[in-house]
Amino acid sequence: MSEKFAVQLSEQAAPSHWGENAALSFNEQGATVHLSEQETLKNVQKAARTIASQGVKQVELAGDTWCTESQWAFYQGFVTPKSLHGVEFVDNAQSDLNELAHLKASATWAREMVNGTADDIYPESLAEKAAEFIQSLAPEHVSYQIIKGDALLEQQWIGIHAVGRGSERPPVLLELDYNPTGDENAPVSAALVGKGITFDSGGYSIKSSEGMLGMKCDMGGAATVTAGLALAINRGIEKRIKLFLCCAENLISGHAYKLGDILTYKNGTTVEIVNTDAEGRLVLADGLMAAGETGAELIIDAATLTGAALVAVGQEYNALFALDKELVREVEDFASQEMEAAWPLPLEKWHQQNCPSPYADTANSRAQKGGGYGGASNAAGFLSRFVPNDGKGWVHIDLAAAFNMGNTSQWAAGATTQGMRTVARTLLEKA
């Protein structure tokens, strides 16, 4: 007899003694998840979370009712930061085990990064681990460079340098080139940009202890775009793609950047610092300009950027922003096809003017809690100052659904990987 806990999936209702519309029933061999007509995958994930919460460490899925998406939903609900390998998928006619293996590989890496401690996942180590991960998938097609410390100033990446200079561990920009074409002069089809703030104290606009506790997750954007690229590679993408990770620790010291400082970016834009806790947009500005320099027609950035996005869409959705209205509708559709919830929020050119400064072209926020009204759109408006072609081909993902501080009915505490599949699908469809 297997030592693993067997889980079946059934289209039949649970026996009445388990309760009306029960999602789970149990027997000597294990458990049965009973499908409902509504919110099927969500209920499968909740059932997995219930089983995991009862102390079950290892399960094997069994039977012919499971499909690729239901197995993945179960996996997402079952895994925890302490156990990422507790589900054995079943091989049947409705399931693609290769796809499940690719999803698990990317999600496991992303979870290990996001859930890892800031002592282990710091700017340079994040960049190195991301490069090693992508290179392991296609060693002959991947090259990269890590620009570190004062070398950032030499190349005018002043946002990453300013945010990270307060830490003893230097800030870095990872530039990775995935080029499966065999032509070193091949055009770059897409560029990915990720916010890699490996710990965010808020700087001199310091967070509360409670607000700082989960801030190892603030590199979730870097993890998401890296994992999304990995998934796209494993799904067979053959276009040239560049990856930019903007990595820094936002800490307080005598070297840290301060309120009232003015940064002059590579494109000439001047930015007054009115909130050192609005640091993500400062590093992404560099990454977006670097992405623009590649000539890529598609630019995707992802970031755990604003609390305002959480207020707007909750932790179940990621927020989408684009000046390119057709593209944002497509990305919303891609997210839906990949079973990830995403919702567009407003972004227009005039959002660039919503953080005025008497001293610079713009401030990095408003000097109000949470950036004031429309904070997520205003942050996206700030980013839009640094993208080419008036925003055509660019989409920004504010990862409100990327991380949970505690267990929920669907997720264990920690990283969710929501957004990874959306990035991969967008690359495959639009690059």
Side-chain angles (χ1 to χ4, degrees), residues 95-109:
S95 300
D96 184 341
L97 287 187
N98 283 332
E99 171 69 1
L100 286 166
H102 297 330
L103 287 168
K104 182 181 175 182
S106 286
T108 297
W109 184 86

Side-chain angles (χ1 to χ4, degrees), residues 156-207:
Q156 299 183 61
W157 304 129
I158 56 91
I160 299 171
H161 184 272
V163 171
R165 74 188 192 207
S167 172
E168 292 183 359
R169 298 197 271 202
V172 305
L173 173 64
L174 169 68
E175 179 181 349
L176 180 143
D177 187 2
Y178 168 69
N179 186 5
T181 68
D183 178 6
E184 64 180 16
N185 297 314
V188 177
S189 296
L192 301 173
V193 181
K195 174 186 172 184
I197 301 298
T198 57
F199 189 78
D200 182 17
S201 72
Y204 279 105
S205 304
I206 192 168
K207 294 177 181 290

Side-chain angles (χ1 to χ4, degrees), residues 404-415:
N404 293 308
M405 282 296 295
N407 296 332
T408 74
S409 63
Q410 279 187 263
W411 303 96

Side-chain angles (χ1 to χ4, degrees), residues 225-249:
V225 292
T226 304
L229 174 57
L231 182 57
I233 291 170
N234 279 329
R235 285 178 173 179
I237 197 165
E238 297 181 350
K239 299 296 180 69
R240 187 179 186 182
I241 299 166
K242 286 203 171 185
L243 172 71
F244 297 92
L245 301 188
C246 311
C247 306
E249 287 183 324

Side-chain angles (χ1 to χ4, degrees), residues 75-396:
Y75 173 87
Q76 289 282 70
F78 188 82
V79 296
T80 73
K82 295 179 181 179
S83 176
L84 298 177
H85 303 284
V87 178
E88 181 178 313
F89 299 120
V90 62
D91 188 4
N92 61 29
Q94 291 91 251
S95 300
D96 184 341
L97 287 187
N98 283 332
E99 171 69 1
L100 286 166
H102 297 330
L103 287 168
K104 182 181 175 182
S106 286
T108 297
W109 184 86
R111 282 192 166 96
E112 288 174 344
M113 295 301 102
V114 177
N115 295 337
T117 69
D119 198 40
D120 293 328
I121 310 300
Y122 50 91
E124 192 169 4
S125 77
L126 174 59
E128 289 173 344
K129 290 175 186 293
E132 290 167 2
F133 178 45
I134 299 299
Q135 201 164 51
S136 72
L137 304 177
E140 69 278 17
H141 299 317
V142 175
S143 60
Y144 68 92
Q145 64 169 332
I146 295 175
I147 306 167
K148 174 180 170 183
D150 288 344
L152 291 163
L153 292 179
E154 296 171 12
Q155 299 194 32
Q156 299 183 61
W157 304 129
I158 56 91
I160 299 171
H161 184 272
V163 171
R165 74 188 192 207
S167 172
E168 292 183 359
R169 298 197 271 202
V172 305
L173 173 64
L174 169 68
E175 179 181 349
L176 180 143
D177 187 2
Y178 168 69
N179 186 5
T181 68
D183 178 6
E184 64 180 16
N185 297 314
V188 177
S189 296
L192 301 173
V193 181
K195 174 186 172 184
I197 301 298
T198 57
F199 189 78
D200 182 17
S201 72
Y204 279 105
S205 304
I206 192 168
K207 294 177 181 290
S208 66
S209 179
E210 295 81 4
M212 210 184 296
L213 178 59
M215 282 299 104
K216 63 182 182 180
C217 83
D218 214 18
M219 38 62 65
T224 297
V225 292
T226 304
L229 174 57
L231 182 57
I233 291 170
N234 279 329
R235 285 178 173 179
I237 197 165
E238 297 181 350
K239 299 296 180 69
R240 187 179 186 182
I241 299 166
K242 286 203 171 185
L243 172 71
F244 297 92
L245 301 188
C246 311
C247 306
E249 287 183 324
N250 186 21
L251 300 182
I252 297 171
S253 75
H255 300 291
Y257 79 127
K258 304 170 184 68
L259 293 111
D261 284 356
I262 294 178
L263 308 181
T264 302
Y265 277 88
K266 192 173 186 178
N267 67 355
T269 300
T270 56
V271 178
E272 182 191 5
I273 306 304
V274 303
N275 186 343
T276 61
D277 197 22
E279 85 298 329
R281 65 202 70 181
L282 297 175
V283 302
L284 286 175
D286 285 337
L288 289 170
M289 285 188 292
E293 290 178 358
T294 70
E297 293 185 358
L298 173 67
I299 298 175
I300 306 169
D301 82 73
T304 50
L305 199 64
T306 66
L310 279 164
V311 172
V313 299
Q315 287 189 287
E316 292 74 31
Y317 286 79
N318 288 325
L320 305 177
F321 298 86
L323 295 171
D324 187 332
K325 305 307 180 188
E326 181 180 354
L327 178 60
V328 80
R329 286 191 293 268
E330 289 180 304
V331 175
E332 181 187 12
D333 188 47
F334 298 151
S336 177
Q337 292 172 36
E338 292 287 339
M339 311 302 170
E340 292 185 333
W343 196 260
L345 292 182
L347 179 61
E348 304 294 342
K349 286 280 284 187
W350 51 260
H351 281 103
Q352 293 181 358
Q353 310 304 322
N354 275 13
C355 297
S357 166
Y359 305 103
D361 296 328
T362 183
N364 71 324
S365 184
R366 288 178 178 167
Q368 301 170 19
K369 184 176 182 179
Y373 296 135
S377 293
N378 295 339
F382 178 93
L383 296 180
S384 73
R385 290 174 173 269
F386 300 93
V387 297
N389 306 319
D390 290 322
K392 183 173 176 57
W394 163 66
V395 64
H396 161 56

